[in-house]
Amino acid sequence: MEVRHNWTVKEVRELLEKPFMDLLFEAQLVHREHHPHNYVQVSTLLSIKTGACPEDCKYCPQSAHYSTDVEKERLMEVERVLDAAKKAKAAGSTRFCMGAAWKNPKERDMPYIKQIIAGVKEQGLETCMTLGMLTAQQAQELADAGLDYYNHNLDTSPEFYGKIITTRTYQDRLDTLSHIRDAGMKICSGGIIGMGENANDRAGLLTELANLPVHPESVPINMLVKVKGTPLENAEDVEPFDFIRLIAAARIMMPASAVRLSAGRENMNEQMQALCFMAGANSIFYGCKLLTTPNPSEDADMLLFDKLGINHQHVAQKPDEIEESKLLDRVVENVVSRPQKDDLFYDASL
Ligand code: SAM
Ligand code: DTB
Ligand code: SF4
């Protein structure tokens, strides 16, 4: 299947508005063509510098512009970070993602950051950081230090963006993404649903992500965690089916990327999460805390994975499973290509 970088918002709206079952079915087919099925990658998050952020992102409990219950904390000592990474690995995580509530890292922070990257990698974990905007030189330094992924979200559509953040522009974010790419790191970039954006904005976010010169390797789709004290604390709930549809569209538009079912799982039941996996989500944040807000416990996630027959360790798909998946594709092709009148409806007049 052709990997596209020329989506229009109108086309994405049409994709999102397909009958739910058709959309999920298509997404699952694309998923099986590009990824091992029944596999979900898990990453653990750690906030290495919490609160007092100069940016004004209206969703964020760590912004200094709002008064929330988040207690600000200084930069975490290297040993504490490495200890948390060790625990994450022991709990079954394969990637360790570290976040700092910064506009951007300062030069004086770079030796600390490099030390952490080396220490976490030494434990056999993939590394990811989200530290705000980067210059081209900073991106290169992080890449040279061995950082695997850098997370920097577009968050929403270019049109809605100004309603959410005024202290950095959409173009600033795109520039940081191209610095990450040029430096040779993998990109993790996605957005948030539930901030009061409309259907065009949701389609617009996916359009921007899918039309980047190279698709982000990882696309986190967050459902807003409404935090008391932030301007979005009373935002309207997201319709669960609309959220699942977005996951499916992301999967179809960026077939080879990992689609991450990110923040907001505390407010999703097991069935909704299962439908997100069916729609092509194949990674999650794992562990009872995101950066500052709660996430389902490791036990709860393992129980859900057990119920669904999902594995989360790097296990190569067995040859018979791949064959089974190809066989399914052939069955599906057969069903999809049948003429309408032959479809699976029972005609009582016959
Ligand atoms: N300060 C850095 C930055 O924003 O560039 C990195 C950390 S920031 C917390 C990482 C991402 O978390 C944001 O871009 C946003 O998409 C997501 N996020 C923050 N608060 C959230 C919330 N309340 N609900 C859902 N996602 C949130
Ligand atoms: C992303 O897209 N979601 C994560 C990660 N990247 C850094 C962060 C979610 C934060 C949710 C609010 C909090 O816990 O502070
Ligand atoms: Fe700061 Fe990141 Fe929160 Fe924005 S999302 S206020 S940049 S920590």
Side-chain angles (χ1 to χ4, degrees):
M1 208 185 68
E2 173 207 10
V3 173
R4 293 180 48 192
H5 298 266
N6 59 351
W7 291 88
T8 64
V9 172
K10 182 169 171 282
E11 260 182 305
V12 181
R13 284 284 311 262
E14 284 163 10
L15 184 63
L16 286 165
E17 284 160 17
K18 275 188 166 190
F20 186 75
M21 300 307 167
D22 292 355
L23 181 60
L24 250 69
F25 186 68
E26 187 180 335
Q28 179 63 202
L29 283 183
V30 171
H31 186 73
R32 281 171 184 256
E33 207 177 300
H34 290 86
H35 303 272
H37 53 287
N38 301 320
Y39 169 71
V40 171
Q41 185 271 331
V42 300
S43 299
T44 299
L45 264 176
L46 177 71
S47 179
I48 59 172
K49 190 265 161 188
T50 306
C53 183
E55 302 293 284
D56 70 351
C57 315
K58 289 198 172 44
Y59 49 76
C60 186
Q62 303 200 66
S63 167
H65 295 258
Y66 320 121
S67 167
T68 68
D69 291 340
V70 166
E71 302 225 359
K72 32 183 201 253
E73 287 169 25
R74 286 169 189 281
L75 206 51
M76 194 178 270
E77 291 107 56
V78 176
E79 280 318 308
R80 277 186 64 203
V81 178
L82 298 186
D83 196 44
K86 200 167 157 190
K87 290 195 177 107
K89 166 104 180 169
S93 212
T94 56
R95 190 177 309 155
F96 198 59
C97 306
M98 295 153 274
W102 285 332
K103 184 182 187 69
N104 50 259
K106 307 267 182 325
E107 280 323 300
R108 62 166 188 265
D109 303 316
M110 294 307 268
Y112 163 87
I113 292 167
K114 291 177 191 172
Q115 207 182 338
I116 289 179
I117 296 169
V120 174
K121 278 183 86 79
E122 220 165 78
Q123 302 186 21
L125 282 159
E126 290 182 305
T127 49
C128 176
M129 285 187 165
T130 178
L131 315 170
M133 295 192 286
L134 295 181
T135 62
Q137 196 200 321
Q138 286 174 324
Q140 197 56 60
E141 282 184 50
L142 295 181
D144 293 344
L147 187 64
D148 298 300
Y149 287 80
Y150 195 85
N151 166 245
H152 198 65
N153 290 341
L154 290 180
D155 277 349
T156 188
S157 69
E159 294 77 20
F160 190 64
Y161 183 86
K163 296 232 160 45
I164 301 298
I165 299 143
T166 68
T167 47
R168 68 165 73 132
T169 66
Y170 212 76
Q171 190 56 47
D172 288 334
R173 290 185 184 248
L174 291 170
D175 291 346
T176 293
L177 292 184
S178 67
H179 297 327
I180 304 167
R181 186 56 82 202
D182 291 346
M185 283 183 287
K186 293 181 189 141
I187 292 181
C188 173
S189 187
I192 310 180
I193 310 304
M195 304 189 292
E197 72 285 339
N198 63 27
N200 270 340
D201 296 316
R202 291 176 181 178
L205 166 68
L206 294 187
T207 305
E208 288 290 324
L209 292 166
N211 289 353
L212 288 170
V214 178
H215 291 164
E217 281 76 7
S218 165
V219 180
I221 306 290
N222 297 277
M223 189 168 85
L224 176 72
V225 179
K226 298 180 213 174
V227 180
K228 195 162 124 275
T230 62
L232 294 180
E233 66 175 310
N234 295 317
E236 210 174 298
D237 282 344
V238 177
E239 159 61 47
F241 289 118
D242 290 346
F243 186 87
I244 300 161
R245 283 172 181 279
L246 267 144
I247 299 265
R251 163 52 62 234
I252 293 165
M253 294 167 70
M254 293 168 276
S257 307
V259 175
R260 180 179 298 268
L261 174 56
S262 302
R265 289 197 300 117
E266 272 287 86
N267 292 316
M268 297 178 197
N269 63 21
E270 291 188 331
Q271 293 76 10
M272 177 173 173
Q273 294 181 62
L275 281 172
C276 289
F277 297 136
M278 183 73 189
N282 60 346
S283 75
I284 58 164
F285 286 119
Y286 177 60
C288 60
K289 203 169 169 196
L290 291 164
L291 290 171
T292 65
T293 63
N295 196 42
S297 72
E298 285 152 358
D299 287 351
D301 281 340
M302 283 304 117
L303 191 63
L304 177 59
F305 281 6
D306 267 358
K307 289 184 192 177
L308 301 176
I310 285 175
N311 82 69
H312 67 288
Q313 297 289 5
H314 286 287
V315 183
Q317 229 169 320
K318 291 190 221 124
D320 56 334
E321 279 179 337
I322 293 172
E323 274 317 304
E324 196 182 294
S325 151
K326 282 192 190 144
L327 179 69
L328 181 73
D329 284 355
R330 283 198 291 276
V331 172
V332 158
E333 235 168 69
N334 227 340
V335 173
V336 172
S337 59
R338 270 189 217 172
Q340 277 292 333
K341 65 180 175 50
D342 257 7
D343 231 324
L344 303 172
F345 296 105
Y346 169 67
D347 186 345
S349 69
L350 296 175

